[in-house]
Amino acid sequence: MLEIRQKYTFFGVLLYVASTIFVLYLAMNQPETEVWNGLFWMIQLFICVNAVAKSFLAEGKGRMLYYYTIAGARDFILAKLLFNAMLMAIMSLINWLIFSTLLGNPVIRWLPFLGINLLGGLSLSLVFTFLSAIAARAQQNAALMAIMGFPLIIPQLMLLIRISNIVFSDVIQAGLTGIVLLLAGLDVLVVALALILFPFLWKD
Amino acid sequence: MRKSWWKIACVVLLVYTVIGGLLFRVPAREILGETIRNLYFHVAMWTVMFTLFTVSVVYGLKYLRTQNLRDDIYAVNFAKTGIVFGVLGYSTGFMWASYTWTEYATNTQIFKEPKLLGTAIALLIYFAYMVLRGSIPDLDKRAKISAVYSIFAYAMLFPTLYILPRMMESLHPGSQGNPALNPNDSDPRMQMVMLPAFVGWTLLGVWIATLKVRLDLIKEKSILNA
């Protein structure tokens, strides 16, 4: 429906990812697996804040009005959520790629980590898309989004870090599906809340 | 004319709680000793905080339906009072833990304790709510946006508060099940004081919140009637 203009923001975020990880590489060299894991998810978080914050904050007032005339509130937020989810999926993969080239790749089980990575990217992008909508309505910068978003995202990040620990060893741990289902359930909850609550933010 | 029976009940219950909580016999437990009396105060803070935050969110929902600024004033004042009780619960829990867990835990471990962490997250969210409100000058817009945020945050927070403590190991009582406490664990002597304490403190929280609401309603009278 919309988007895919402004290529430079995409490459801007890409450059941001690459340079951040490069700085990390200079500072840390090859960290241990636990540190690797923690750093990986922190970088994911910051990529998400930077990439997704653009979605509402960068829109001018005129363009918002234009969207308002062509699309309903529900369609609009759904489109934004989908676009950001895809963007974040690509970013997650790129993040992993650069991480494994520069900081070493302790991941032994590839497939589960791929899934966890995509799921984590999805969770982060959904939450921050909605918060970005709120922050944009408050006419505020990304700092407000970070203040609102970080406490909300802590539990999900903790769960993600916890389940991604399993990919560093061959031992199969129990309780994995429970956490995955929990995260997926939270994602569904966020989408539902966004669909219900966004119309209130939209009309003005 | 005003129904004041619940305020009288609140005072009576709290007087009973303080006197009973400090003087009644308590079961002698290892390590806990007399600090077990903190149960009447520390755990009660949580019930108050949750009640007040829930009331706040209900008024947020109500505001979105009616667009009446009165509901917004209710929501924000209940949230503020909830924050106060949250801070009290956090500090009483922290002190209690640092006296009874010292053999096992250092301060950094207490900070990582899942239930304290959950409260810290809840408090951070409501501080963010206040910052958000502070950043929007327009009254109606502020009410609407902060209502949306508080509903979103509340809906995100409570599933995690419910689930997270069950998945992490901790020293907090009730690790193997109910995160708060299991009423069946408690000695009947303690229940005599505990349940009135919960009700009494909750009534006190609601009382403080309604006083603040009334004050704000008078302050904003000109806007509300316009």
Side-chain angles (χ1 to χ4, degrees):
Chain A
M1 189 173 76
L2 24 111
E3 304 280 0
I4 323 260
R5 59 213 140 66
Q6 292 186 326
K7 285 247 167 58
Y8 73 94
T9 29
F10 179 78
F11 291 112
V13 176
L14 209 60
L15 197 62
Y16 175 83
V17 177
S19 50
T20 319
I21 300 175
F22 189 67
V23 171
L24 263 183
Y25 164 66
L26 293 178
M28 308 274 309
N29 251 331
Q30 309 268 316
E32 289 169 31
T33 50
E34 270 188 25
V35 180
W36 191 94
N37 193 13
L39 283 175
F40 181 82
W41 286 107
M42 284 320 286
I43 297 290
Q44 279 282 68
L45 178 63
F46 280 94
I47 292 169
C48 190
V49 171
N50 273 280
V52 173
K54 302 278 186 299
S55 68
F56 279 90
L57 296 176
E59 307 276 13
K61 204 159 191 170
R63 192 180 290 135
M64 280 299 205
L65 201 62
Y66 170 63
Y67 289 147
Y68 186 71
T69 57
I70 60 165
R74 297 241 155 91
D75 297 334
F76 183 69
I77 188 74
L78 206 58
K80 281 280 192 196
L81 287 172
L82 274 176
F83 176 79
N84 282 329
M86 284 193 293
L87 179 71
M88 202 52 210
I90 298 168
M91 284 300 166
S92 309
L93 293 179
I94 292 170
N95 185 18
W96 187 18
L97 197 73
I98 305 178
F99 244 83
S100 47
T101 38
L102 287 182
L103 296 176
N105 192 4
V107 177
I108 297 176
R109 297 155 79 195
W110 292 79
L111 215 56
F113 192 69
L114 184 70
I116 293 166
N117 195 350
L118 291 178
L119 184 68
L122 180 71
S123 309
L124 290 173
S125 70
L126 292 180
V127 171
F128 277 99
T129 305
F130 189 68
L131 289 177
S132 154
I134 295 178
R137 298 298 295 117
Q139 313 265 312
Q140 284 297 313
N141 47 15
L144 187 65
M145 206 174 97
I147 295 173
M148 293 193 298
F150 285 2
L152 279 181
I153 207 74
I154 290 170
Q156 291 191 41
L157 267 183
M158 279 169 62
L159 289 177
L160 284 168
I161 290 173
R162 199 180 155 91
I163 55 171
S164 46
N165 267 328
I166 64 148
V167 301
F168 302 126
S169 68
D170 281 323
V171 187
I172 295 171
Q173 286 173 354
L176 172 65
T177 40
I179 302 181
V180 171
L181 280 178
L182 180 64
L183 282 169
L186 279 174
D187 290 348
V188 173
L189 178 75
V190 173
V191 174
L193 282 171
L195 285 180
I196 294 166
L197 293 175
F198 187 69
F200 290 107
L201 291 175
W202 190 226
K203 56 188 167 197
D204 202 12
Chain B
M1 70 178 199
R2 208 169 278 279
K3 283 183 183 161
S4 55
W5 61 267
W6 61 274
K7 292 175 185 167
I8 297 168
C10 167
V11 173
V12 171
L13 285 174
L14 281 181
V15 168
Y16 171 74
T17 302
V18 172
I19 295 174
L22 295 179
L23 293 180
F24 284 4
R25 291 186 62 82
V26 289
R29 294 279 158 82
E30 294 228 1
I31 301 170
L32 279 179
E34 293 291 317
T35 66
I36 199 169
R37 296 177 194 279
N38 196 6
L39 185 80
Y40 309 131
F41 305 98
H42 162 68
V43 184
M45 295 300 139
W46 299 136
T47 53
V48 183
M49 186 184 84
F50 286 132
T51 316
L52 292 177
F53 283 163
T54 309
V55 172
S56 165
V57 168
V58 169
Y59 274 105
L61 276 170
K62 219 173 144 194
Y63 174 78
L64 285 184
R65 282 184 54 205
T66 61
Q67 310 281 322
N68 186 346
L69 274 177
R70 287 175 68 96
D71 292 331
D72 181 54
I73 290 175
Y74 273 90
V76 68
N77 281 309
F78 273 96
K80 273 182 191 166
T81 320
I83 291 176
V84 172
F85 277 92
V87 171
L88 285 175
Y90 192 91
S91 47
T92 48
F94 188 89
M95 281 191 281
W96 199 6
S98 57
Y99 278 106
T100 51
W101 297 350
T102 36
E103 286 175 39
Y104 311 101
T106 58
N107 272 0
T108 44
Q109 275 170 313
I110 297 173
F111 278 125
K112 275 173 83 177
E113 150 67 35
K115 278 127 214 155
L116 276 179
L117 202 64
T119 324
I121 293 170
L123 287 175
L124 279 178
I125 284 175
Y126 278 89
F127 286 140
Y129 171 76
M130 291 301 156
V131 172
L132 179 69
R133 291 184 65 85
S135 70
I136 309 168
D138 184 84
L139 272 180
D140 289 305
K141 211 164 143 190
R142 172 166 76 195
K144 194 189 288 177
I145 294 170
S146 60
V148 168
Y149 177 68
S150 80
I151 294 166
F152 184 70
Y154 186 88
M156 288 284 298
L157 172 69
F158 281 73
T160 49
L161 278 191
Y162 188 74
I163 293 158
L164 208 59
R166 287 180 160 77
M167 312 191 56
M168 296 168 67
E169 33 321 282
S170 85
L171 288 169
H172 197 283
S175 293
Q176 290 82 31
N178 190 322
L181 83 172
N182 186 352
N184 302 329
D185 278 355
S186 318
D187 193 280
R189 276 172 295 178
M190 298 201 63
Q191 278 185 3
M192 290 273 293
V193 182
M194 197 172 72
L195 298 176
F198 286 180
V199 179
W201 285 112
T202 309
L203 287 178
L204 182 70
V206 174
W207 191 359
I208 294 173
T210 47
L211 284 180
K212 285 171 69 72
V213 167
R214 280 162 64 192
L215 194 64
D216 266 16
L217 283 177
I218 293 167
K219 270 190 208 156
E220 309 285 341
K221 212 169 192 173
S222 53
I223 301 166
L224 290 172
N225 291 337

